[in-house]
Amino acid sequence: MSTATASAPASSAPSSTLRNAVIRLAGNSQDGIQSIGGFLARLAGRTQHDVMTYMTIPSTISGGPSIFQLHLGSGHVLTAGDEADVLVAFYQHSYDSHIGSLREGGICLYESAEVTEFKNERGIHHIGIPFTAATIEAIGGSARDRGKNMFVLGLLCAVYQLDRDKLAGIVERQFGKKDESVLRNAMLAFDAGYAYPVGDIGTFIFEEGEHKDEHRLSTDGNTLMSMGLIAAGVRYGSAYPITPWSSIMETLRSELPKYGGIYVQAEDELAAVAMTIGAAYAGHLAVTGSAGPGLSLKMEALSYASMAEIPLIVINVQRGGPSTGLPTSVEQSDLLQAIYGSHGDCPRIVLAPQDVEDCFYIALEAGRLAREYSCPVIILSDQALSSRIEAFTEPDLDKCWVEPGLDLSDRGADFKPYPLDKITRHAPPGTKIAGKYPHVSGLEHDEYGHPSGSPKMHTAMTAKRRNKLIDLSKSLPLPEIYGDQEGDVLLIGWGSTYGPIKESVERLRAEGHKVGAAHIRHLHPMPAGLDRLWAKFKKVVVVEMNDYGVYGHGQLAMLLRAAYAEPKIQSVCKTDGLAYRIREIVTGVEKVMAAN
């Protein structure tokens, strides 16, 4: 459908050139502010700019206050931004709660029919705009609540002189499959916002992006994790829905049949992991997933998978806990659960992606390691990565695509699935075996998988399951140190803290401190020789989103202190359900440096 193009509003103020801008949209979850942010974020990937988003949504079905923050930049964007340059406030409570997030001299665009009390401080520019009334005028009365977000999208497109045609194309692809009137009304509201005069603040133009020779995409972590699983050769699995994991399951349910696979929604978490183990034993690379509460329910079966040495992928998109906790907030409190959650000595591999782009590559690595080491591999993503949108270079599928296949070749008379001197290699059911037929069970077993109560055999098999992870740790590369290679403090992080930690290093170095940072993707086993990283630093600070605990250290810090008996390893932790801001990390590190 073709749409008319509105003219941008004239302004007497000059245009300003920007390298970065942070926009915060504050309203209710029903207002479609996530759609505004999503459209703008996808545009970034099509205009060679960088982007990172952040949102909060209520966990109640009835909805409630919500925000979507968008950091657009011409250079590398590492965080969603500590302070906003522009606040769009839909209601009085939106204004009251978020006006403090604006930088000094920032701009507040507010719904003039809702916001009436102002805080005229810090040089903030207040501009009242009738979002709802202007949308009604453009569309008509009944569609205003669904259209005012598109009005605001057009408004921001004009203020920041974004590529209107590309943005309109994104909107058209989003609504094009719906009734023709839906797209028409959306574009009428968009054009009304695009043409609305915003006063004397002028317009802003971003510098040319640094990625003009790259083919870039922009999407969220859960979507890219799903694509990575498919590229890794996953074709089977099962799961049960839970926030914030569910969108991976829904993507796999719709996409895997296109590649000859199947994904099943089970009746509960235990059934889901049991089905996945069955598919993995049948010779397929299979995946199940959940959030922390669901992973707890899967732990008994994961203990079976460790004993039977079944290769499979398990994804935990972490959220605030314990119990039901904070379903729509971020936390990194499932690390110890992932490593030690099952009963008995139950070794498995644990990985964590550092950003949205890495969600794709961590899925590829999980598939490779599951096959190579014949054991469960747990990926610890988190709520921030699951919903965050970033722009990145499109993966080269020709280089990373894994075409799955079953090895049903004949096994000779000497075939043993559990040889003490080699890593386990199962024969899928239906394989012709000339010798003693193997068993698979949760009981301790001999080299053929037959149950064994021998103390000597249990000791040997326990060592076999342990030692393959020790061998893996020796093959893993040490993380690179970003920033100073020696000095006052080395920051250590994992998961979605990657960007904030990296930017905090720059802030601390600008203040005169000698600071470096290293990010750990392989959490269990960790690369051997990590102590070489911090040998030249006075202190090591582990930044993570979990509690200090009874012993005063976060979960990764506690593991590192236990492994290396290094007292200079300290913690900066928080549990407010929000992603780290730069000033939180900087303040925490400065306190550690000031302490004796």
Side-chain angles (χ1 to χ4, degrees), residues 28 32 49 98-99 117 137 140 159 197 204 213 225 284 370 389 433 465 487 526 554 572:
N28 290 333
H49 290 93
H98 298 285
I99 192 66
E117 299 177 10
E137 184 178 346
V159 168
F204 306 95
D213 296 325
M225 183 81 74
H284 305 287
I389 299 174
I433 299 175
R465 293 187 288 267
M526 289 184 272
V572 169

Side-chain angles (χ1 to χ4, degrees), residues 78 98 109 181 310 314-315 549 551:
L78 294 170
H98 298 285
L109 305 175
S181 63
I310 301 291
V314 183
I315 297 173
Y551 303 109

Side-chain angles (χ1 to χ4, degrees), residues 231-471:
V234 169
R235 295 297 180 267
Y236 294 90
S238 178
Y240 187 78
I242 184 173
T243 300
W245 144 266
S246 297
S247 63
I248 295 179
M249 181 185 75
E250 293 303 322
T251 300
L252 293 176
R253 282 205 321 176
S254 65
E255 295 300 316
L256 283 184
K258 301 175 184 178
Y259 301 90
I262 186 173
Y263 209 80
V264 178
Q265 178 175 321
E267 65 268 30
D268 56 40
E269 297 283 5
L270 187 55
V273 66
M275 290 182 193
T276 305
I277 290 172
Y281 175 58
H284 305 287
L285 183 60
V287 65
T288 187
S290 192
L295 192 64
S296 297
L297 296 170
K298 295 179 190 291
M299 280 300 174
E300 180 183 0
L302 285 177
S303 183
Y304 174 97
S306 292
M307 172 62 86
E309 299 187 67
I310 301 291
L312 75 155
I313 301 173
V314 183
I315 297 173
N316 176 6
V317 187
Q318 299 170 96
R319 67 190 211 184
S323 188
T324 310
L326 301 171
T328 58
S329 298
V330 64
E331 206 164 273
Q332 294 178 308
S333 53
D334 297 348
L335 176 58
L336 296 182
Q337 179 202 36
I339 298 173
Y340 299 118
S342 296
H343 56 284
D345 291 308
C346 193
R348 56 234 182 179
I349 298 169
V350 181
L351 310 173
Q354 65 188 26
D355 54 24
V356 168
E357 181 180 16
D358 198 31
C359 286
F360 180 86
Y361 295 103
I362 212 82
L364 290 175
E365 187 162 8
R368 177 182 65 82
L369 293 175
R371 291 187 186 96
E372 186 174 344
Y373 290 90
S374 195
C375 70
V377 178
I378 297 177
I379 299 176
L380 287 180
S381 183
D382 61 48
Q383 184 273 339
L385 285 176
S386 71
S387 59
R388 174 193 298 170
I389 299 174
E390 296 180 28
F392 48 87
T393 303
E394 182 179 11
D396 188 339
L397 289 179
D398 290 335
K399 291 182 178 179
C400 58
W401 187 266
V402 176
E403 193 62 42
L406 287 177
D407 180 8
L408 295 172
S409 58
D410 294 353
R411 268 59 165 186
D414 60 346
F415 173 70
K416 300 175 184 178
Y418 298 103
L420 289 172
D421 59 343
K422 296 179 182 177
I423 292 177
T424 290
R425 293 288 180 263
H426 288 288
T431 303
K432 185 177 179 180
I433 299 175
K436 196 173 184 179
Y437 209 83
H439 286 192
V440 174
S441 81
L443 290 169
E444 188 57 279
H445 45 259
D446 62 17
E447 292 179 286
Y448 292 96
H450 295 182
S452 171
S454 164
K456 183 178 179 180
M457 182 59 69
H458 180 52
T459 300
M461 284 293 177
T462 298
K464 165 187 164 65
R465 293 187 288 267
R466 176 221 314 139
N467 288 338
K468 64 182 177 182
L469 266 65
I470 292 176
D471 291 341

